[in-house]
Each structure stands twice: as structure tokens, then as C-alpha cells.
Amino acid sequence: MNIATVAIVAVLLCSGVAGTAAAAPAADKRTAIPSSARIDITDAHAHATVPAQPVGAVYMTIASDSPLTLVQATTDVAKDVQIHDMHKHAGVMRMREIKRPQLKSGEKLVLAPGGMHMMLLGLTRQLKAGETISMTLRFEDKDKKQIAKNLNVPVQPLGKK
Ligand SMILES: [Cu+2]
């Protein structure tokens, strides 16, 4: 290995390390100020996708004992996750993004087929019936304290609700 090759390898290693290091401080900050909100997530499921399908959908019911904002959802199987709502425009059902949906105390956020849902954008692979995908939801309570929930979301066959 000559010097030029060594330099290139070093650059590649450094860029890899920089990527993980950038995410770490934010995680530390989040765990430092935990919220006492009690969040109950039920009926979480995703729909299976066909090969090369770029998007997927996840559904669940989120309940909280105190006011809460869903600030972010992430998963390792998609580049981005958005919360979408359905609305009718000129007779056609369309989706629009709902940024930071809010829950009032004792209220439920129902994400279900035909209504609000989590849209997985830029799927990195096919979602197969019977497997589970992991997701992380980040919430913020009324005092701006953060709470994160890790979920294992079962993938259901296409056509099943
Ligand atoms: Cu959508």
C-alpha cells in the first residue's frame, strides 16, 4: 500500500466516524431531560410492500395522559417518515403532511388506513409480511421535555387492515 492509498483509506474512515459522532450529542441531550408523560401505543402495524416500492405506511393508536407533540418518527428501513392526513380535493383523495401533530391530555391520535398515517418515504428495502420493523418516535411534552419510544412494528400482508 503506497502513501496515496493510505490517505484515501484514512479519509473514508474519518467520514464514517464523523457521521456517527454527529448524532451522538443530540441523543445525550434528550436522555438528560426525560418527560414524565405516559404514552400508550397500541395496534402498531405496517403494510407489506412489493419489490422496489418506494413508499410504505405505518398505522397505530397513540394515547397520552398529558399534552404531547409528536416531533419526529424514524426507522432504519426508510429515509424519511412523515405524518400524513387524507383530504378530498376536487373529488380526489390526497395526502398532506401534518407537521408535529399534537395530542391533548387523554386524547388519542389514531393513525389508520383511509385516514392519518405514517408515510415511510424512500424505503431502503421491501417490507415483508411476518417480519417486524423498528421505529423510534420522539415526543415533546408541554414543558419541552423529550420522550422517545422505540417500537417493533409487525408487517401485515397487503390487503389486510
Ligand atoms: Cu401518505
Side-chain angles (χ1 to χ4, degrees), residues 117-131:
H117 54 277
M118 281 182 193
M119 199 95 198
L120 309 183
L121 300 164
L123 280 180
T124 54
R125 63 174 177 80
Q126 186 185 5
L127 305 184
K128 293 182 176 164
E131 69 166 337

Side-chain angles (χ1 to χ4, degrees), residues 14-147:
C14 287
S15 59
V17 169
T20 38
D28 292 345
K29 202 177 154 197
R30 273 193 297 273
T31 51
I33 42 164
S35 166
S36 61
R38 263 202 50 199
I39 303 169
D40 214 19
I41 298 174
T42 50
D43 197 28
H45 62 284
H47 280 177
T49 61
V50 297
Q53 185 176 326
V55 296
V58 172
Y59 308 98
M60 67 187 69
T61 298
I62 305 169
S64 170
D65 66 349
S66 50
L68 215 61
T69 301
L70 174 56
V71 292
Q72 192 190 36
T74 52
T75 174
D76 54 4
V77 299
K79 294 193 178 85
D80 192 20
V81 181
Q82 293 182 355
I83 312 298
H84 282 181
D85 199 1
M86 307 284 284
H87 73 290
K88 214 166 197 175
H89 181 82
V92 179
M93 289 307 287
R94 289 190 184 182
M95 301 188 294
R96 75 181 143 206
E97 186 182 4
I98 307 287
K99 291 214 184 240
R100 300 170 63 96
Q102 295 188 358
L103 276 113
K104 293 192 181 102
S105 184
E107 217 179 50
K108 283 179 179 171
L109 187 66
V110 179
L111 309 176
M116 281 182 78
H117 54 277
M118 281 182 193
M119 199 95 198
L120 309 183
L121 300 164
L123 280 180
T124 54
R125 63 174 177 80
Q126 186 185 5
L127 305 184
K128 293 182 176 164
E131 69 166 337
T132 59
I133 58 171
S134 57
M135 290 193 81
T136 302
L137 307 188
R138 295 187 203 293
F139 298 91
E140 198 175 88
D141 69 13
K142 57 186 188 320
D143 304 317
K144 303 273 178 209
K145 287 182 179 171
Q146 309 276 315
I147 183 166

